[in-house]
Amino acid sequence: MYKIEFIPTGHTFVLPDNIAKELKEKFPSDYKILEKNGKKFRDRIKKQEMVQDDKSILSKVLDEED
């Protein structure tokens, strides 16, 4: 059994191994594994790179050098 956290809401769930692994593979940045079989587990989450959108306010505020 895995204890996982859904990061956007902070809810934790205890799920069977196969379901927890499937969720982690499909949505790696949304789920964090807290425990594996009752033992604490340190799960590392990859940071997402910031994507600039021409329509966003950030692109209008930042000065870009050519």
Side-chain angles (χ1 to χ4, degrees), residues 28-41:
S29 62
D30 288 344
Y31 290 95
K32 180 179 180 182
I33 298 173
L34 302 175
E35 293 182 9
K36 280 186 178 181
N37 299 325
K39 295 182 182 180
K40 294 192 186 241
F41 181 77

Side-chain angles (χ1 to χ4, degrees), residues 44-57:
R44 298 181 190 258
I45 299 173
K46 295 180 182 177
K47 293 185 180 181
Q48 295 179 349
E49 293 184 21
M50 188 173 71
V51 178
Q52 286 193 1
D53 185 15
D54 293 335
K55 297 177 183 177
S56 73
I57 190 75

Side-chain angles (χ1 to χ4, degrees), residues 15-26:
L15 299 171
D17 299 349
N18 57 353
I19 295 173
K21 287 178 185 177
E22 182 179 324
L23 285 173
K24 184 67 178 171
E25 287 175 7
K26 287 185 179 179

Side-chain angles (χ1 to χ4, degrees), residues 4-13 23-24 27-32 45 48:
I4 64 171
E5 176 184 4
F6 184 58
I7 295 172
T9 61
H11 292 98
T12 58
F13 303 97
L23 285 173
K24 184 67 178 171
F27 310 103
S29 62
D30 288 344
Y31 290 95
K32 180 179 180 182
I45 299 173
Q48 295 179 349

